[in-house]
């Protein structure tokens, strides 16, 4: 599968369901509400400023006259229906408009008066209906009645002229325009008032705003839901974490772990989501679960380092031995997150300046968890991470514990892809509402190029309103009795390495010398 196949547009996928439409409304509700309110107010204000328009209606019918013969009457009826269409054109003529204007003394031109008139002829009838509009209801009534009367006079003149020119041997029935209903002065305007205009404005504004939201959602390449990731990339989403400011990298600092047993002020939804992620990893392959897991992301600031640290803590809380490895040799962060001694770790072991047991550190409040920092920042991190010594180091750690490797982002550098080759699989962290489809497509492509296994993706930073939270939370395991609990955020003392290390007591003095020389 190529990158283009992975990142192909989701246009070919199944159409949007009801949940997708609801998600769009929840995502863009602020803009939808703002546009709807603005259009509603504009419609109400516009209606208030517009003059009230009234409409009066009058009607007449074309009848055959001057004969008692049945056949002539039938022919006259058919002729009347045909003539009614012609009289419609006559009713819309300038001649009629000029005569009506003069008869009732309107200060309008014939062209202006014609714009206020609507003439209709119902299908298969000889009826002519006329509607006159005006800002004054009495004027509308007078114009409608005067127009029908003037149209009747025009019809009578034309029929008289036509009858004079006809042959006496071909008698035809005469036609006349007979008024049916006279106009009544309207009491209510036909234009909507402010209230009705506001209703129409609200409906139109909502349709406009929601259509705009659907367009923005279509053009927005950012990933927001697990369903979208699985549909577009065919990669499982093995976990989802709710949004927490401590995962954004802004407030994260010493003691920023969110799942340490007995730590107060935890986010219960986040803790339960970590337990679910831990369980999902176990069931990826029941017979042979992954023991070396790389946690990475497409770009920086997606929360992958804190996710790796908290995942390791959650696994350790279940009684498993875990080693979290800071595989980011360019911008290490594990020492800061776990509040352990910085500057010692992988590079010291790979360059032979320290033994593995000398640089492994522990926190007293997290049993079963060891931390292997990055060490000094080297000039050639990619070469060190792809070396046989690095593979041997990770394999030796995996012999006795589950290894969680915090790797750099996949797109800026190749370090994460190199680490994925020596791991049993990689978890790609996707920041909801930030990571784009193109970024994830390229990241997955980089892993597949080196034959790295993708365990799945983790959707991080879901807003609380979209996170499928939990209504019931089980308590974390109680802390081990007698285990020292160091306050989060408190920096370790200068000689506190032995409190966090797995170094035998007989070799601590030698270890200090090795760390100092490193």
């Amino acid at each position: 599968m190529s990158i283009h196949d992975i990142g192909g547009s989701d246009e070919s996928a199944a159409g949007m369901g009801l949940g997708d439409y609801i998600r769009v409304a929840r995502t863009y509700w602020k803009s939808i509400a703002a546009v709807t309110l603005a259009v509603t107010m504009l419609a109400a204000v516009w209606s208030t400023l517009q003059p009230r328009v009234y409409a009066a209606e009058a009607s007449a019918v074309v009848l055959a006259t001057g004969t008692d013969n049945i056949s002539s009457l039938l022919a006259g009826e058919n002729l009347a229906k045909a003539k009614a269409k012609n009289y419609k054109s006559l009713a819309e003529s300038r001649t009629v408009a000029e005569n009506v204007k003069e008869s009732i003394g309107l200060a309008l031109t014939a062209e202006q008066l014609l714009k206020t008139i609507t003439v209709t002829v119902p299908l298969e009838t000889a009826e002519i209906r006329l509607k006159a509009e005006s800002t004054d209801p009495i004027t509308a009534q007078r114009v409608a009645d005067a127009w029908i009367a003037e149209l009747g006079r025009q019809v009578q003149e034309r029929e008289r002229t036509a009858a004079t020119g006809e042959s006496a041997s071909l008698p035809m029935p005469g036609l006349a325009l007979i008024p049916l209903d006279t106009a009544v002065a309207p009491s209510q305007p036909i234009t909507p008032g402010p209230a009705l205009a506001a209703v129409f404005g609200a409906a139109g504004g909502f349709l406009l705003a929601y259509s705009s939201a659907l367009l923005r959602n279509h053009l927005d390449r950012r990933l927001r839901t697990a369903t979208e990731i699985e549909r577009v990339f065919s990669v499982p989403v093995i976990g989802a974490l709710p949004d927490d400011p401590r995962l954004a990298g802004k407030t994260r600092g010493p003691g920023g772990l969110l799942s340490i047993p007995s730590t107060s002020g935890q986010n219960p939804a986040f803790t339960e989501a970590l337990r679910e992620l831990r369980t999902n990893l176990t069931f990826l392959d029941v017979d042979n679960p992954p023991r070396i897991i790389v946690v990475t992301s497409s770009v920086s600031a997606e929360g992958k380092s804190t996710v790796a640290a908290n995942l390791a803590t959650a696994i350790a809380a279940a009684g498993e031995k875990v080693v979290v490895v800071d595989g980011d040799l360019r911008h290490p962060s594990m020492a800061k997150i776990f509040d352990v001694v910085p500057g010692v770790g992988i590079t010291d072991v790979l360059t032979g300046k320290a033994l593995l047991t000398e640089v492994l550190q522990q926190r007293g409040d997290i049993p079963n968890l060891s931390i292997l920092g990055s060490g000094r920042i080297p000039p050639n991190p990619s070469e060190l991470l792809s070396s046989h010594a690095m593979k041997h180091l990770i394999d030796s750690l995996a012999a006795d514990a589950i290894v969680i490797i915090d790797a750099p982002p996949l797109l800026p550098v190749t370090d994460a892809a190199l680490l994925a080759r020596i791991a049993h699989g990689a978890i790609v962290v996707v920041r909801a509402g930030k990571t784009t489809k193109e970024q994830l497509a390229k990241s997955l492509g980089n892993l597949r190029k080196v034959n790295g296994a993708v365990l799945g993706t983790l959707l991080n930073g879901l807003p609380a309103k979209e996170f499928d939270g939990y209504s019931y939370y089980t308590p974390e395991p109680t802390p081990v009795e007698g285990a020292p609990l160091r306050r989060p955020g408190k920096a370790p003392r200068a000689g506190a390495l032995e409190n966090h290390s797995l170094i035998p007591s007989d070799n601590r003095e030698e270890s200090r010398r090795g760390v100092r020389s490193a």
Side-chain angles (χ1 to χ4, degrees), residues 93-178:
S93 66
R94 182 189 175 105
T95 301
V96 174
E98 287 282 1
N99 293 339
V100 170
K101 179 178 77 72
E102 293 177 0
S103 64
I104 59 178
L106 293 177
L108 297 175
T109 64
E111 289 76 9
Q112 291 174 332
L113 190 58
L114 283 171
K115 292 179 181 180
T116 66
I117 298 300
T118 303
V119 182
T120 57
V121 176
L123 186 64
E124 297 299 325
T125 68
E127 182 182 359
I128 298 177
R129 297 176 182 174
L130 185 138
K131 181 173 71 173
E133 297 179 1
S134 174
T135 55
D136 178 37
I138 301 302
T139 301
Q141 177 192 18
R142 294 175 61 198
V143 168
D145 287 337
W147 210 283
I148 290 293
E150 179 60 28
L151 180 60
R153 285 192 291 271
Q154 294 292 332
V155 169
Q156 185 178 12
E157 291 180 5
R158 280 163 174 73
E159 291 300 322
R160 185 184 301 113
T161 302
T164 303
E166 289 179 351
S167 172
S169 60
L170 297 174
M172 291 294 291
L175 296 176
L177 187 69
I178 309 300

Side-chain angles (χ1 to χ4, degrees), residues 277-278 281 290-296 304-316 320-328 334 338 346 368-373 390 394 397-398 401-407 419 423-427 455:
L277 173 60
R278 178 184 65 195
L281 286 174
R291 294 186 62 82
I292 306 175
I293 301 172
V294 169
V295 180
T296 182
K304 53 95 181 170
S305 295
T306 314
V307 167
N310 283 278
L311 174 60
T313 306
I315 297 175
E320 295 279 357
K321 294 184 66 175
V322 183
V323 178
V324 58
V325 178
D326 196 339
D328 192 344
M334 286 297 106
F338 283 97
I346 295 176
N368 303 322
L369 178 63
S370 302
I371 302 102
L372 179 60
M390 182 64 181
I394 298 300
L397 291 172
I402 296 176
V403 180
I404 305 295
I405 305 176
D406 174 39
L419 288 170
H424 295 155
I427 298 174
L455 299 178

